[in-house]
Amino acid sequence: MAARAIQIGEAGEHVAAAVTKHRQRRGWDQRYLAELVTAAGRPMSASVLGKIESGARRVDVGDLVAIAAALDVPPARLLPGDDTAESDPFAAAGAPGPVRTQVLDDIAALGDLEVLDVTAPTLAAIAVRLATEVDAPVSLGSSLQGLSKELRQVLAELRSLSPEEPDDDDDLDDLASPD
């Protein structure tokens, strides 16, 4: 007799949606978050994370703790009924800021990232995350100078994968300069 699938229920659906929401706010793809979850001590593939986000796979306590650590949020933030938690600083940053908008435009100009190199989508996700942090309110405590330098390095590496040279290399310096 075949085993019957266990439904994830309302709480599981909430966790799936919360993981997706927090990941997307940071501009990360599933592969990048899966790598962070693995680094947090819970080996996870992008495929498994996709199943979690779609509600096709239940999340156990170990998964929940590692995903929350990778997202840099308390595990309770992913659970239903956490109305008392402080707001997500990435959500407070509002719509995409000018640096994130420019990074997204630059990445779109590169075309199909997977054709460039297997690492290109991950580099793009890192660039978007850094750009989001550069645009975030100063109250988040990030070092704008350090973030800007890291963003320029990631974008330079991503652009180096493209067979075409960018028209204007000065965009890299302008992009992450906090003027």
Side-chain angles (χ1 to χ4, degrees):
M1 180 178 348
R4 200 176 79 173
I6 300 173
Q7 299 297 319
I8 67 166
E10 286 182 37
E13 290 172 2
H14 180 88
V15 169
V19 170
T20 302
K21 175 184 77 173
H22 285 282
R23 177 184 59 76
Q24 290 175 340
R25 280 187 180 161
R26 287 157 176 76
W28 298 347
D29 62 7
Q30 289 176 339
R31 181 181 301 157
Y32 182 71
L33 179 54
E35 290 171 5
L36 293 177
V37 172
T38 299
R42 188 72 169 193
M44 185 173 290
S45 68
S47 173
V48 168
L49 183 63
K51 288 177 182 176
I52 288 171
E53 288 186 359
S54 71
R57 181 179 184 277
R58 294 173 61 97
V59 176
D60 68 17
V61 174
D63 292 336
L64 181 73
V65 170
I67 291 169
L71 290 168
D72 196 27
V73 298
R77 181 79 54 81
L78 302 176
L79 298 172
D82 187 34
D83 299 333
T84 60
E86 75 257 14
S87 64
D88 184 344
F90 289 92
V99 176
R100 184 170 189 256
T101 299
Q102 182 62 51
V103 166
L104 290 171
D105 289 345
D106 288 352
I107 291 170
L110 292 172
D112 186 0
L113 296 178
E114 291 188 5
V115 169
L116 294 178
D117 188 89
V118 69
T119 61
T122 301
L123 287 170
I126 293 169
V128 171
R129 177 186 57 83
L130 289 167
T132 302
E133 290 182 29
V134 168
D135 283 335
V138 177
S139 64
L140 293 181
S142 301
S143 164
L144 189 56
Q145 186 175 17
L147 288 171
S148 297
K149 180 179 178 183
E150 186 177 354
L151 176 57
R152 283 192 300 273
Q153 290 171 341
V154 169
L155 286 172
E157 186 174 344
L158 184 58
R159 286 183 173 171
S160 74
L161 300 174
S162 177
E164 299 176 18
E165 286 296 315
D167 293 339
D168 186 5
D169 287 337
D170 292 336
D171 284 348
L172 278 178
D173 294 328
D174 294 344
L175 181 65
S177 294
D179 291 338

